[in-house]
Amino acid sequence: MSFTATVFTLFPEMFPGPLGHALSGKALQTGQWACDAVNIRDYTENKHNKVDEVPYGGGAGLVMSAQPIDAALDAHAGKPGRLVLMTPRGRPMDQALCRELATEPGVRILCGRYEGIDQRLIDKHEPLEVSVGDYVLSGGEVGALVMLDAIIRLLPGVMGNDLSGTDESFEGGLLEYPHYTRPAEWQGRTVPSVLLSGNHEAIARWRADKAIEITTARRPDLLDTEQAAVDETVSKERKRP
């Protein structure tokens, strides 16, 4: 059974887009996942297919109306997976969430535009609100592509080497260690000797040390989060009778 991605958008032509190429494209061709882009504009009830209105209370920009989105969601209620809304105010997307979604039969992604979506639609359908970063995009489509790329590569059989998905950045709370390949010397720069030693234990230690070193320098918040999780576990163990 393949993974089904259903995307609700004003720009269905953006999908599968880049996901139709390389690793995800091959998986799409072999049926490991399917993409269904639903045009929200097809579900309007006005003759001009209008999907937006000015905001109550004033302010710049337009707001996506509840009616066409609600109708589109209802028409595809049988599609598998949780409903996710791409929005700057959502919870940060991370590897743990992508792994979780990859275990499910699919995902339904709602892409907002303009200043956002009528809150009443959000209150009714209660989507999981997700952000791909602390910045604002023109719409949710690019964020949806990012999320789907991160999910698809984790689907069983998509990556040739199953270990590829576990030995990389954010898997285990750390950024990934440096990589090197042939030749052993390039423009006067050499590969660390430990990687040429054949000593797998020493290589594992070197990689672990480098991962901690890079994470400390670039993302110390990840180390703080990991330590907080350890402290919480230890606290719970101490409280056990």
Side-chain angles (χ1 to χ4, degrees):
M1 183 177 181
S2 66
F3 181 92
T4 301
T6 308
V7 185
F8 299 88
T9 173
L10 296 180
F11 301 95
E13 62 275 14
M14 292 181 68
F15 297 88
L19 299 178
H21 302 274
L23 195 69
S24 56
K26 182 179 179 181
L28 184 63
Q29 291 176 0
T30 57
Q32 290 168 285
W33 75 286
C35 184
D36 183 13
V38 178
N39 192 341
I40 296 171
R41 204 176 293 276
D42 291 342
Y43 295 87
T44 56
E45 295 178 347
N46 59 82
K47 64 180 181 179
H48 298 296
N49 298 121
K50 190 176 180 182
V51 296
D52 53 73
E53 291 288 352
V54 295
Y56 279 122
L62 298 167
V63 176
M64 289 185 73
S65 304
Q67 179 276 314
I69 301 174
D70 183 58
L73 292 174
D74 285 349
H76 297 269
K79 292 296 181 69
R82 272 184 277 177
L83 178 62
V84 174
L85 170 61
M86 307 307 303
T87 169
R89 71 181 192 182
R91 61 156 286 187
M93 189 184 87
D94 55 22
Q95 191 72 358
L97 175 60
C98 293
R99 277 207 171 276
E100 185 179 329
L101 292 173
T103 65
E104 300 179 6
V107 65
R108 295 173 297 140
I109 304 179
L110 174 56
C111 301
R113 279 273 159 174
Y114 314 121
E115 295 303 308
I117 295 172
D118 190 312
Q119 183 64 38
R120 292 169 294 183
L121 182 284
I122 297 172
D123 293 341
K124 176 181 177 179
H125 291 274
E126 298 183 327
L128 172 63
E129 299 185 43
V130 177
S131 168
V132 293
D134 294 337
Y135 41 83
V136 179
L137 299 169
S138 299
E141 287 79 11
V142 173
L145 289 169
V146 170
M147 170 174 276
L148 287 174
D149 184 84
I151 292 172
I152 293 163
R153 63 193 300 277
L154 297 174
L155 297 177
V158 170
M159 285 188 284
N161 184 346
D162 290 338
L163 293 178
S164 296
T166 58
D167 195 17
E168 56 190 6
S169 290
F170 306 111
E171 294 288 352
L174 299 174
L175 299 182
E176 196 172 8
Y177 51 80
H179 293 278
Y180 298 86
T181 188
R182 294 181 177 84
E185 182 177 340
W186 177 74
Q187 295 188 356
R189 299 171 185 269
T190 59
V191 174
S193 58
V194 65
L195 300 180
L196 307 175
S197 68
N199 185 331
H200 297 295
E201 185 177 337
I203 291 172
R205 284 198 304 270
W206 180 88
R207 287 175 169 171
D209 289 343
K210 284 296 179 182
I212 293 173
E213 178 184 319
I214 291 172
T215 305
T216 301
R218 302 179 185 180
R219 290 292 304 277
D221 57 297
L222 294 177
L223 293 173
D224 293 341
T225 300
E226 185 176 7
Q227 185 59 52
V230 171
D231 292 343
E232 183 179 357
T233 300
V234 171
S235 178
K236 288 180 179 179
E237 288 296 325
R238 287 176 176 173
K239 291 180 180 178
R240 285 187 178 183

